[in-house]
Amino acid sequence: MQLQAILRHDAVAGLRNLDVPTLVAHGTEDEMIVQANGQHLASLVPDARLETMDGVGHLFWWEQPERSAKLVRAHAR
């Protein structure tokens, strides 16, 4: 059912219209969503900041919770 929802939902169309500070965090070893997709997402959102985490997979916040929290706190400021 999740795959069906993904295939029906197009979130890309509205990304260029976002006018909020945006942080895209992505692990370089993500096997579910390749790193190029994180880069692509960041390129679609105006002024988005891309933070890549070397050696980290899909669950970057689980694998590096301290670094993830630090990124979110800094972004929220």
Side-chain angles (χ1 to χ4, degrees), residues 20-60:
V20 295
T22 303
L23 171 66
V24 176
H26 205 286
T28 61
E29 300 301 317
D30 191 332
E31 294 180 3
M32 294 188 71
I33 302 173
V34 296
Q35 183 179 351
N37 282 356
Q39 295 166 337
H40 180 63
L41 175 63
S43 76
L44 294 174
V45 178
D47 301 317
R49 177 176 158 222
L50 174 63
E51 184 70 34
T52 56
M53 299 181 171
D54 291 331
V56 179
H58 190 69
L59 300 175
F60 64 87

PDB file of all heavy atoms in Angstrom, residues 20-60:
ATOM      1  N   VAL A  20      10.659  28.435   2.651  1.00  0.00           N
ATOM      2  CA  VAL A  20      11.017  28.183   4.045  1.00  0.00           C
ATOM      3  C   VAL A  20      12.445  27.650   4.088  1.00  0.00           C
ATOM      4  O   VAL A  20      12.894  27.000   3.145  1.00  0.00           O
ATOM      5  CB  VAL A  20      10.069  27.164   4.715  1.00  0.00           C
ATOM      6  CG1 VAL A  20       8.663  27.713   4.817  1.00  0.00           C
ATOM      7  CG2 VAL A  20      10.065  25.852   3.966  1.00  0.00           C
ATOM      8  N   PRO A  21      13.167  27.922   5.140  1.00  0.00           N
ATOM      9  CA  PRO A  21      14.508  27.343   5.256  1.00  0.00           C
ATOM     10  C   PRO A  21      14.407  25.813   5.227  1.00  0.00           C
ATOM     11  O   PRO A  21      13.588  25.228   5.940  1.00  0.00           O
ATOM     12  CB  PRO A  21      14.999  27.825   6.614  1.00  0.00           C
ATOM     13  CG  PRO A  21      14.166  29.026   6.919  1.00  0.00           C
ATOM     14  CD  PRO A  21      12.836  28.776   6.280  1.00  0.00           C
ATOM     15  N   THR A  22      15.203  25.192   4.382  1.00  0.00           N
ATOM     16  CA  THR A  22      15.092  23.749   4.182  1.00  0.00           C
ATOM     17  C   THR A  22      16.447  23.075   4.327  1.00  0.00           C
ATOM     18  O   THR A  22      17.421  23.499   3.715  1.00  0.00           O
ATOM     19  CB  THR A  22      14.510  23.449   2.785  1.00  0.00           C
ATOM     20  OG1 THR A  22      13.241  24.092   2.665  1.00  0.00           O
ATOM     21  CG2 THR A  22      14.348  21.966   2.563  1.00  0.00           C
ATOM     22  N   LEU A  23      16.474  22.030   5.127  1.00  0.00           N
ATOM     23  CA  LEU A  23      17.662  21.210   5.306  1.00  0.00           C
ATOM     24  C   LEU A  23      17.364  19.836   4.732  1.00  0.00           C
ATOM     25  O   LEU A  23      16.371  19.204   5.095  1.00  0.00           O
ATOM     26  CB  LEU A  23      18.012  21.076   6.789  1.00  0.00           C
ATOM     27  CG  LEU A  23      19.111  20.079   7.141  1.00  0.00           C
ATOM     28  CD1 LEU A  23      20.453  20.530   6.585  1.00  0.00           C
ATOM     29  CD2 LEU A  23      19.187  19.889   8.650  1.00  0.00           C
ATOM     30  N   VAL A  24      18.209  19.374   3.840  1.00  0.00           N
ATOM     31  CA  VAL A  24      18.114  18.018   3.303  1.00  0.00           C
ATOM     32  C   VAL A  24      19.312  17.256   3.845  1.00  0.00           C
ATOM     33  O   VAL A  24      20.454  17.629   3.577  1.00  0.00           O
ATOM     34  CB  VAL A  24      18.123  18.012   1.759  1.00  0.00           C
ATOM     35  CG1 VAL A  24      18.112  16.586   1.228  1.00  0.00           C
ATOM     36  CG2 VAL A  24      16.948  18.805   1.209  1.00  0.00           C
ATOM     37  N   ALA A  25      19.069  16.222   4.625  1.00  0.00           N
ATOM     38  CA  ALA A  25      20.139  15.397   5.177  1.00  0.00           C
ATOM     39  C   ALA A  25      20.070  14.031   4.503  1.00  0.00           C
ATOM     40  O   ALA A  25      18.990  13.458   4.340  1.00  0.00           O
ATOM     41  CB  ALA A  25      19.973  15.257   6.682  1.00  0.00           C
ATOM     42  N   HIS A  26      21.248  13.520   4.112  1.00  0.00           N
ATOM     43  CA  HIS A  26      21.263  12.257   3.378  1.00  0.00           C
ATOM     44  C   HIS A  26      22.548  11.502   3.662  1.00  0.00           C
ATOM     45  O   HIS A  26      23.626  12.088   3.668  1.00  0.00           O
ATOM     46  CB  HIS A  26      21.156  12.537   1.880  1.00  0.00           C
ATOM     47  CG  HIS A  26      20.584  11.403   1.105  1.00  0.00           C
ATOM     48  ND1 HIS A  26      21.298  10.260   0.835  1.00  0.00           N
ATOM     49  CD2 HIS A  26      19.369  11.214   0.565  1.00  0.00           C
ATOM     50  CE1 HIS A  26      20.529   9.429   0.137  1.00  0.00           C
ATOM     51  NE2 HIS A  26      19.359   9.987  -0.023  1.00  0.00           N
ATOM     52  N   GLY A  27      22.424  10.214   3.890  1.00  0.00           N
ATOM     53  CA  GLY A  27      23.588   9.365   4.097  1.00  0.00           C
ATOM     54  C   GLY A  27      24.185   8.916   2.773  1.00  0.00           C
ATOM     55  O   GLY A  27      23.451   8.600   1.835  1.00  0.00           O
ATOM     56  N   THR A  28      25.496   8.867   2.709  1.00  0.00           N
ATOM     57  CA  THR A  28      26.168   8.465   1.463  1.00  0.00           C
ATOM     58  C   THR A  28      26.020   6.976   1.179  1.00  0.00           C
ATOM     59  O   THR A  28      26.196   6.551   0.043  1.00  0.00           O
ATOM     60  CB  THR A  28      27.665   8.811   1.509  1.00  0.00           C
ATOM     61  OG1 THR A  28      28.280   8.115   2.594  1.00  0.00           O
ATOM     62  CG2 THR A  28      27.892  10.305   1.637  1.00  0.00           C
ATOM     63  N   GLU A  29      25.671   6.191   2.196  1.00  0.00           N
ATOM     64  CA  GLU A  29      25.530   4.746   2.018  1.00  0.00           C
ATOM     65  C   GLU A  29      24.064   4.303   2.054  1.00  0.00           C
ATOM     66  O   GLU A  29      23.782   3.134   2.302  1.00  0.00           O
ATOM     67  CB  GLU A  29      26.330   4.003   3.102  1.00  0.00           C
ATOM     68  CG  GLU A  29      27.813   4.320   3.087  1.00  0.00           C
ATOM     69  CD  GLU A  29      28.487   3.975   1.765  1.00  0.00           C
ATOM     70  OE1 GLU A  29      28.206   2.901   1.203  1.00  0.00           O
ATOM     71  OE2 GLU A  29      29.296   4.809   1.291  1.00  0.00           O
ATOM     72  N   ASP A  30      23.158   5.217   1.797  1.00  0.00           N
ATOM     73  CA  ASP A  30      21.728   4.897   1.783  1.00  0.00           C
ATOM     74  C   ASP A  30      21.447   3.952   0.619  1.00  0.00           C
ATOM     75  O   ASP A  30      21.687   4.288  -0.540  1.00  0.00           O
ATOM     76  CB  ASP A  30      20.906   6.193   1.624  1.00  0.00           C
ATOM     77  CG  ASP A  30      19.428   5.986   1.853  1.00  0.00           C
ATOM     78  OD1 ASP A  30      18.927   4.866   1.612  1.00  0.00           O
ATOM     79  OD2 ASP A  30      18.767   6.952   2.265  1.00  0.00           O
ATOM     80  N   GLU A  31      20.954   2.755   0.930  1.00  0.00           N
ATOM     81  CA  GLU A  31      20.659   1.766  -0.102  1.00  0.00           C
ATOM     82  C   GLU A  31      19.200   1.803  -0.543  1.00  0.00           C
ATOM     83  O   GLU A  31      18.835   1.135  -1.502  1.00  0.00           O
ATOM     84  CB  GLU A  31      21.028   0.367   0.393  1.00  0.00           C
ATOM     85  CG  GLU A  31      22.529   0.212   0.606  1.00  0.00           C
ATOM     86  CD  GLU A  31      22.922  -1.158   1.100  1.00  0.00           C
ATOM     87  OE1 GLU A  31      22.051  -2.041   1.227  1.00  0.00           O
ATOM     88  OE2 GLU A  31      24.118  -1.358   1.369  1.00  0.00           O
ATOM     89  N   MET A  32      18.373   2.562   0.152  1.00  0.00           N
ATOM     90  CA  MET A  32      16.965   2.667  -0.237  1.00  0.00           C
ATOM     91  C   MET A  32      16.741   3.834  -1.183  1.00  0.00           C
ATOM     92  O   MET A  32      15.964   3.739  -2.131  1.00  0.00           O
ATOM     93  CB  MET A  32      16.082   2.816   1.005  1.00  0.00           C
ATOM     94  CG  MET A  32      16.086   1.592   1.883  1.00  0.00           C
ATOM     95  SD  MET A  32      14.887   1.713   3.204  1.00  0.00           S
ATOM     96  CE  MET A  32      13.364   1.548   2.299  1.00  0.00           C
ATOM     97  N   ILE A  33      17.385   4.954  -0.892  1.00  0.00           N
ATOM     98  CA  ILE A  33      17.265   6.156  -1.719  1.00  0.00           C
ATOM     99  C   ILE A  33      18.689   6.624  -2.010  1.00  0.00           C
ATOM    100  O   ILE A  33      19.390   7.063  -1.106  1.00  0.00           O
ATOM    101  CB  ILE A  33      16.462   7.257  -1.014  1.00  0.00           C
ATOM    102  CG1 ILE A  33      15.069   6.739  -0.645  1.00  0.00           C
ATOM    103  CG2 ILE A  33      16.373   8.499  -1.887  1.00  0.00           C
ATOM    104  CD1 ILE A  33      14.253   7.680   0.205  1.00  0.00           C
ATOM    105  N   VAL A  34      19.107   6.511  -3.245  1.00  0.00           N
ATOM    106  CA  VAL A  34      20.496   6.822  -3.583  1.00  0.00           C
ATOM    107  C   VAL A  34      20.816   8.284  -3.303  1.00  0.00           C
ATOM    108  O   VAL A  34      19.937   9.154  -3.324  1.00  0.00           O
ATOM    109  CB  VAL A  34      20.814   6.479  -5.057  1.00  0.00           C
ATOM    110  CG1 VAL A  34      20.684   4.979  -5.298  1.00  0.00           C
ATOM    111  CG2 VAL A  34      19.947   7.262  -6.008  1.00  0.00           C
ATOM    112  N   GLN A  35      22.081   8.533  -3.041  1.00  0.00           N
ATOM    113  CA  GLN A  35      22.533   9.871  -2.675  1.00  0.00           C
ATOM    114  C   GLN A  35      22.167  10.918  -3.727  1.00  0.00           C
ATOM    115  O   GLN A  35      21.856  12.063  -3.398  1.00  0.00           O
ATOM    116  CB  GLN A  35      24.034   9.865  -2.440  1.00  0.00           C
ATOM    117  CG  GLN A  35      24.572  11.199  -1.980  1.00  0.00           C
ATOM    118  CD  GLN A  35      26.065  11.161  -1.735  1.00  0.00           C
ATOM    119  OE1 GLN A  35      26.687  10.109  -1.752  1.00  0.00           O
ATOM    120  NE2 GLN A  35      26.642  12.308  -1.511  1.00  0.00           N
ATOM    121  N   ALA A  36      22.173  10.531  -4.980  1.00  0.00           N
ATOM    122  CA  ALA A  36      21.821  11.473  -6.046  1.00  0.00           C
ATOM    123  C   ALA A  36      20.415  12.031  -5.862  1.00  0.00           C
ATOM    124  O   ALA A  36      20.142  13.172  -6.230  1.00  0.00           O
ATOM    125  CB  ALA A  36      21.952  10.796  -7.410  1.00  0.00           C
ATOM    126  N   ASN A  37      19.524  11.251  -5.272  1.00  0.00           N
ATOM    127  CA  ASN A  37      18.160  11.752  -5.032  1.00  0.00           C
ATOM    128  C   ASN A  37      18.150  12.842  -3.975  1.00  0.00           C
ATOM    129  O   ASN A  37      17.376  13.794  -4.060  1.00  0.00           O
ATOM    130  CB  ASN A  37      17.232  10.612  -4.629  1.00  0.00           C
ATOM    131  CG  ASN A  37      16.794   9.782  -5.813  1.00  0.00           C
ATOM    132  OD1 ASN A  37      17.111  10.086  -6.957  1.00  0.00           O
ATOM    133  ND2 ASN A  37      16.079   8.714  -5.534  1.00  0.00           N
ATOM    134  N   GLY A  38      18.987  12.722  -2.967  1.00  0.00           N
ATOM    135  CA  GLY A  38      19.103  13.780  -1.965  1.00  0.00           C
ATOM    136  C   GLY A  38      19.626  15.055  -2.587  1.00  0.00           C
ATOM    137  O   GLY A  38      19.136  16.154  -2.300  1.00  0.00           O
ATOM    138  N   GLN A  39      20.608  14.916  -3.448  1.00  0.00           N
ATOM    139  CA  GLN A  39      21.154  16.079  -4.152  1.00  0.00           C
ATOM    140  C   GLN A  39      20.094  16.701  -5.053  1.00  0.00           C
ATOM    141  O   GLN A  39      19.970  17.928  -5.116  1.00  0.00           O
ATOM    142  CB  GLN A  39      22.373  15.658  -4.971  1.00  0.00           C
ATOM    143  CG  GLN A  39      23.525  15.198  -4.115  1.00  0.00           C
ATOM    144  CD  GLN A  39      24.593  14.460  -4.905  1.00  0.00           C
ATOM    145  OE1 GLN A  39      24.346  13.923  -5.968  1.00  0.00           O
ATOM    146  NE2 GLN A  39      25.801  14.438  -4.349  1.00  0.00           N
ATOM    147  N   HIS A  40      19.332  15.847  -5.728  1.00  0.00           N
ATOM    148  CA  HIS A  40      18.270  16.345  -6.616  1.00  0.00           C
ATOM    149  C   HIS A  40      17.204  17.089  -5.816  1.00  0.00           C
ATOM    150  O   HIS A  40      16.768  18.181  -6.212  1.00  0.00           O
ATOM    151  CB  HIS A  40      17.653  15.177  -7.386  1.00  0.00           C
ATOM    152  CG  HIS A  40      16.566  15.572  -8.313  1.00  0.00           C
ATOM    153  ND1 HIS A  40      16.764  16.404  -9.395  1.00  0.00           N
ATOM    154  CD2 HIS A  40      15.244  15.257  -8.323  1.00  0.00           C
ATOM    155  CE1 HIS A  40      15.618  16.585 -10.028  1.00  0.00           C
ATOM    156  NE2 HIS A  40      14.686  15.910  -9.389  1.00  0.00           N
ATOM    157  N   LEU A  41      16.793  16.522  -4.696  1.00  0.00           N
ATOM    158  CA  LEU A  41      15.797  17.174  -3.850  1.00  0.00           C
ATOM    159  C   LEU A  41      16.276  18.551  -3.408  1.00  0.00           C
ATOM    160  O   LEU A  41      15.549  19.536  -3.529  1.00  0.00           O
ATOM    161  CB  LEU A  41      15.494  16.304  -2.623  1.00  0.00           C
ATOM    162  CG  LEU A  41      14.552  16.904  -1.589  1.00  0.00           C
ATOM    163  CD1 LEU A  41      13.177  17.148  -2.186  1.00  0.00           C
ATOM    164  CD2 LEU A  41      14.458  15.984  -0.385  1.00  0.00           C
ATOM    165  N   ALA A  42      17.505  18.620  -2.942  1.00  0.00           N
ATOM    166  CA  ALA A  42      18.047  19.910  -2.497  1.00  0.00           C
ATOM    167  C   ALA A  42      18.111  20.908  -3.644  1.00  0.00           C
ATOM    168  O   ALA A  42      17.909  22.109  -3.431  1.00  0.00           O
ATOM    169  CB  ALA A  42      19.427  19.709  -1.882  1.00  0.00           C
ATOM    170  N   SER A  43      18.352  20.435  -4.848  1.00  0.00           N
ATOM    171  CA  SER A  43      18.430  21.346  -5.995  1.00  0.00           C
ATOM    172  C   SER A  43      17.064  21.900  -6.391  1.00  0.00           C
ATOM    173  O   SER A  43      16.985  22.953  -7.020  1.00  0.00           O
ATOM    174  CB  SER A  43      19.060  20.644  -7.203  1.00  0.00           C
ATOM    175  OG  SER A  43      18.151  19.754  -7.826  1.00  0.00           O
ATOM    176  N   LEU A  44      16.005  21.210  -6.012  1.00  0.00           N
ATOM    177  CA  LEU A  44      14.654  21.651  -6.377  1.00  0.00           C
ATOM    178  C   LEU A  44      14.071  22.674  -5.413  1.00  0.00           C
ATOM    179  O   LEU A  44      13.173  23.430  -5.780  1.00  0.00           O
ATOM    180  CB  LEU A  44      13.713  20.449  -6.462  1.00  0.00           C
ATOM    181  CG  LEU A  44      14.010  19.447  -7.574  1.00  0.00           C
ATOM    182  CD1 LEU A  44      13.086  18.241  -7.451  1.00  0.00           C
ATOM    183  CD2 LEU A  44      13.872  20.090  -8.943  1.00  0.00           C
ATOM    184  N   VAL A  45      14.569  22.696  -4.199  1.00  0.00           N
ATOM    185  CA  VAL A  45      14.047  23.624  -3.186  1.00  0.00           C
ATOM    186  C   VAL A  45      14.948  24.857  -3.155  1.00  0.00           C
ATOM    187  O   VAL A  45      16.157  24.734  -2.942  1.00  0.00           O
ATOM    188  CB  VAL A  45      14.012  22.960  -1.792  1.00  0.00           C
ATOM    189  CG1 VAL A  45      13.507  23.941  -0.750  1.00  0.00           C
ATOM    190  CG2 VAL A  45      13.152  21.702  -1.820  1.00  0.00           C
ATOM    191  N   PRO A  46      14.383  26.037  -3.382  1.00  0.00           N
ATOM    192  CA  PRO A  46      15.211  27.252  -3.379  1.00  0.00           C
ATOM    193  C   PRO A  46      16.005  27.415  -2.081  1.00  0.00           C
ATOM    194  O   PRO A  46      15.459  27.281  -0.991  1.00  0.00           O
ATOM    195  CB  PRO A  46      14.182  28.378  -3.536  1.00  0.00           C
ATOM    196  CG  PRO A  46      13.001  27.731  -4.178  1.00  0.00           C
ATOM    197  CD  PRO A  46      12.976  26.326  -3.641  1.00  0.00           C
ATOM    198  N   ASP A  47      17.297  27.633  -2.229  1.00  0.00           N
ATOM    199  CA  ASP A  47      18.200  27.884  -1.104  1.00  0.00           C
ATOM    200  C   ASP A  47      18.276  26.752  -0.085  1.00  0.00           C
ATOM    201  O   ASP A  47      18.640  26.988   1.068  1.00  0.00           O
ATOM    202  CB  ASP A  47      17.831  29.195  -0.391  1.00  0.00           C
ATOM    203  CG  ASP A  47      17.887  30.390  -1.320  1.00  0.00           C
ATOM    204  OD1 ASP A  47      18.855  30.465  -2.111  1.00  0.00           O
ATOM    205  OD2 ASP A  47      16.978  31.230  -1.272  1.00  0.00           O
ATOM    206  N   ALA A  48      17.937  25.536  -0.489  1.00  0.00           N
ATOM    207  CA  ALA A  48      18.031  24.405   0.435  1.00  0.00           C
ATOM    208  C   ALA A  48      19.495  24.123   0.747  1.00  0.00           C
ATOM    209  O   ALA A  48      20.382  24.325  -0.068  1.00  0.00           O
ATOM    210  CB  ALA A  48      17.381  23.165  -0.169  1.00  0.00           C
ATOM    211  N   ARG A  49      19.718  23.650   1.949  1.00  0.00           N
ATOM    212  CA  ARG A  49      21.055  23.251   2.377  1.00  0.00           C
ATOM    213  C   ARG A  49      21.107  21.731   2.391  1.00  0.00           C
ATOM    214  O   ARG A  49      20.274  21.070   3.014  1.00  0.00           O
ATOM    215  CB  ARG A  49      21.330  23.789   3.772  1.00  0.00           C
ATOM    216  CG  ARG A  49      22.665  23.356   4.310  1.00  0.00           C
ATOM    217  CD  ARG A  49      22.931  24.003   5.664  1.00  0.00           C
ATOM    218  NE  ARG A  49      23.922  23.204   6.368  1.00  0.00           N
ATOM    219  CZ  ARG A  49      23.864  22.899   7.643  1.00  0.00           C
ATOM    220  NH1 ARG A  49      22.865  23.342   8.375  1.00  0.00           N
ATOM    221  NH2 ARG A  49      24.800  22.178   8.198  1.00  0.00           N
ATOM    222  N   LEU A  50      22.085  21.168   1.699  1.00  0.00           N
ATOM    223  CA  LEU A  50      22.271  19.717   1.670  1.00  0.00           C
ATOM    224  C   LEU A  50      23.394  19.341   2.620  1.00  0.00           C
ATOM    225  O   LEU A  50      24.494  19.891   2.546  1.00  0.00           O
ATOM    226  CB  LEU A  50      22.619  19.250   0.256  1.00  0.00           C
ATOM    227  CG  LEU A  50      22.984  17.776   0.111  1.00  0.00           C
ATOM    228  CD1 LEU A  50      21.807  16.876   0.480  1.00  0.00           C
ATOM    229  CD2 LEU A  50      23.454  17.493  -1.311  1.00  0.00           C
ATOM    230  N   GLU A  51      23.103  18.415   3.505  1.00  0.00           N
ATOM    231  CA  GLU A  51      24.112  17.895   4.428  1.00  0.00           C
ATOM    232  C   GLU A  51      24.230  16.391   4.170  1.00  0.00           C
ATOM    233  O   GLU A  51      23.270  15.655   4.370  1.00  0.00           O
ATOM    234  CB  GLU A  51      23.684  18.151   5.875  1.00  0.00           C
ATOM    235  CG  GLU A  51      24.690  17.751   6.890  1.00  0.00           C
ATOM    236  CD  GLU A  51      25.932  18.632   6.910  1.00  0.00           C
ATOM    237  OE1 GLU A  51      25.806  19.852   6.656  1.00  0.00           O
ATOM    238  OE2 GLU A  51      27.015  18.112   7.186  1.00  0.00           O
ATOM    239  N   THR A  52      25.386  15.971   3.688  1.00  0.00           N
ATOM    240  CA  THR A  52      25.598  14.546   3.467  1.00  0.00           C
ATOM    241  C   THR A  52      26.416  13.981   4.622  1.00  0.00           C
ATOM    242  O   THR A  52      27.301  14.641   5.156  1.00  0.00           O
ATOM    243  CB  THR A  52      26.320  14.269   2.140  1.00  0.00           C
ATOM    244  OG1 THR A  52      27.543  14.993   2.116  1.00  0.00           O
ATOM    245  CG2 THR A  52      25.465  14.672   0.955  1.00  0.00           C
ATOM    246  N   MET A  53      26.086  12.753   4.978  1.00  0.00           N
ATOM    247  CA  MET A  53      26.750  12.086   6.090  1.00  0.00           C
ATOM    248  C   MET A  53      27.506  10.885   5.539  1.00  0.00           C
ATOM    249  O   MET A  53      26.900   9.890   5.137  1.00  0.00           O
ATOM    250  CB  MET A  53      25.720  11.665   7.131  1.00  0.00           C
ATOM    251  CG  MET A  53      24.963  12.813   7.730  1.00  0.00           C
ATOM    252  SD  MET A  53      23.806  12.177   8.949  1.00  0.00           S
ATOM    253  CE  MET A  53      23.261  13.687   9.677  1.00  0.00           C
ATOM    254  N   ASP A  54      28.824  10.984   5.520  1.00  0.00           N
ATOM    255  CA  ASP A  54      29.667   9.926   4.981  1.00  0.00           C
ATOM    256  C   ASP A  54      29.530   8.637   5.772  1.00  0.00           C
ATOM    257  O   ASP A  54      29.531   8.647   7.007  1.00  0.00           O
ATOM    258  CB  ASP A  54      31.130  10.363   4.980  1.00  0.00           C
ATOM    259  CG  ASP A  54      31.406  11.463   3.965  1.00  0.00           C
ATOM    260  OD1 ASP A  54      30.693  11.514   2.937  1.00  0.00           O
ATOM    261  OD2 ASP A  54      32.329  12.248   4.190  1.00  0.00           O
ATOM    262  N   GLY A  55      29.386   7.543   5.031  1.00  0.00           N
ATOM    263  CA  GLY A  55      29.330   6.229   5.649  1.00  0.00           C
ATOM    264  C   GLY A  55      28.044   5.908   6.368  1.00  0.00           C
ATOM    265  O   GLY A  55      27.970   4.909   7.086  1.00  0.00           O
ATOM    266  N   VAL A  56      27.037   6.714   6.187  1.00  0.00           N
ATOM    267  CA  VAL A  56      25.768   6.550   6.902  1.00  0.00           C
ATOM    268  C   VAL A  56      24.686   6.127   5.913  1.00  0.00           C
ATOM    269  O   VAL A  56      24.669   6.569   4.765  1.00  0.00           O
ATOM    270  CB  VAL A  56      25.376   7.869   7.608  1.00  0.00           C
ATOM    271  CG1 VAL A  56      24.059   7.740   8.320  1.00  0.00           C
ATOM    272  CG2 VAL A  56      26.466   8.275   8.577  1.00  0.00           C
ATOM    273  N   GLY A  57      23.779   5.270   6.379  1.00  0.00           N
ATOM    274  CA  GLY A  57      22.730   4.752   5.516  1.00  0.00           C
ATOM    275  C   GLY A  57      21.420   5.525   5.606  1.00  0.00           C
ATOM    276  O   GLY A  57      21.389   6.712   5.934  1.00  0.00           O
ATOM    277  N   HIS A  58      20.332   4.814   5.352  1.00  0.00           N
ATOM    278  CA  HIS A  58      19.002   5.412   5.257  1.00  0.00           C
ATOM    279  C   HIS A  58      18.510   5.985   6.586  1.00  0.00           C
ATOM    280  O   HIS A  58      17.798   6.982   6.611  1.00  0.00           O
ATOM    281  CB  HIS A  58      18.024   4.356   4.740  1.00  0.00           C
ATOM    282  CG  HIS A  58      16.677   4.888   4.381  1.00  0.00           C
ATOM    283  ND1 HIS A  58      16.482   5.721   3.305  1.00  0.00           N
ATOM    284  CD2 HIS A  58      15.471   4.714   4.954  1.00  0.00           C
ATOM    285  CE1 HIS A  58      15.204   6.036   3.232  1.00  0.00           C
ATOM    286  NE2 HIS A  58      14.559   5.444   4.214  1.00  0.00           N
ATOM    287  N   LEU A  59      18.894   5.371   7.677  1.00  0.00           N
ATOM    288  CA  LEU A  59      18.430   5.817   8.996  1.00  0.00           C
ATOM    289  C   LEU A  59      19.503   6.663   9.664  1.00  0.00           C
ATOM    290  O   LEU A  59      19.967   6.371  10.770  1.00  0.00           O
ATOM    291  CB  LEU A  59      18.063   4.611   9.866  1.00  0.00           C
ATOM    292  CG  LEU A  59      16.958   3.721   9.307  1.00  0.00           C
ATOM    293  CD1 LEU A  59      16.774   2.495  10.178  1.00  0.00           C
ATOM    294  CD2 LEU A  59      15.657   4.484   9.140  1.00  0.00           C
ATOM    295  N   PHE A  60      19.856   7.745   9.005  1.00  0.00           N
ATOM    296  CA  PHE A  60      20.964   8.571   9.479  1.00  0.00           C
ATOM    297  C   PHE A  60      20.754   9.064  10.907  1.00  0.00           C
ATOM    298  O   PHE A  60      21.687   9.141  11.690  1.00  0.00           O
ATOM    299  CB  PHE A  60      21.226   9.754   8.540  1.00  0.00           C
ATOM    300  CG  PHE A  60      20.104  10.734   8.446  1.00  0.00           C
ATOM    301  CD1 PHE A  60      20.005  11.776   9.342  1.00  0.00           C
ATOM    302  CD2 PHE A  60      19.142  10.610   7.459  1.00  0.00           C
ATOM    303  CE1 PHE A  60      18.966  12.687   9.272  1.00  0.00           C
ATOM    304  CE2 PHE A  60      18.099  11.508   7.365  1.00  0.00           C
ATOM    305  CZ  PHE A  60      18.012  12.550   8.279  1.00  0.00           C
TER     306      PHE A  60
END
